[in-house]
Amino acid sequence: YNNVTTYGTSSSNHGIFVNSASTQIIQGNIVVIKGTGTSSYGIYVASGAGNNISSNNVTTTASSDHALYIASASSSNNIEKNIVRTTSSSSYGIYLLSASSNVTGNNVTTTSTAYGFYITSDYNRILSNIITTSNYHGMYLTGADSNLITGNTITATGSATNGVYLLTNSQSNMFSLNTIKTTGSSSYGIYFSA
């Protein structure tokens, strides 16, 4: 395992970057993104397939710094048993951008206007994750079709903060056996929006 900390003051200071690589094992790392630069990701996979990302502890502290970012043209990655924290605005715990993956047993916490999961991709299996958010939705889906989302525990606190926010451009998703708790006013367990 590795202990990785970045202190960059500009953008794109990633902790671990998997660029067009496949079947890599990224396991047991401690990754902290402490710099002031935005768009620096804890673990970033771009155009990678069949990678195993497991048992990592990832923390980001600046705006738009996602903890786990699986980007376009990535497929069949296994993301499991990671501990993920973000503490600044617009910093997602796990961001799946046009990438199909198995995402199982992760513990995701966001504390400042950031989604636990942000999903813009199809055919993901999102199973048995623990998601805790403050002042933003636990899970947000837009342009995301045919995902299986089951057995997750989602706690969302704050006004107008929903457990799951689903835009109607997302279709044929299966939700089952999830436990969802919201505590703020005008907050819903699952919210469908045009």
Side-chain angles (χ1 to χ4, degrees), residues 36-122:
T36 57
T38 62
S39 301
S40 297
Y41 313 129
I43 298 175
Y44 179 23
V45 178
S47 301
N51 297 292
N52 186 339
I53 302 166
S54 63
S55 302
N56 300 285
N57 192 319
V58 183
T59 302
T60 69
T61 60
S63 178
S64 301
D65 287 359
H66 312 312
L68 301 182
Y69 184 21
I70 314 302
S72 301
S74 295
S75 62
S76 302
N77 294 289
N78 187 49
I79 303 163
E80 65 175 347
K81 297 180 181 177
N82 300 283
I83 298 173
V84 171
R85 301 179 192 87
T86 70
T87 62
S88 192
S89 62
S90 301
S91 299
Y92 312 147
I94 297 177
Y95 186 4
L96 302 174
L97 174 65
S98 301
S100 59
S101 300
N102 294 312
V103 187
T104 307
N106 299 280
N107 192 321
V108 177
T109 303
T110 66
T111 60
S112 179
T113 58
Y115 305 109
F117 275 67
Y118 190 97
I119 303 165
T120 64
S121 54
D122 307 331

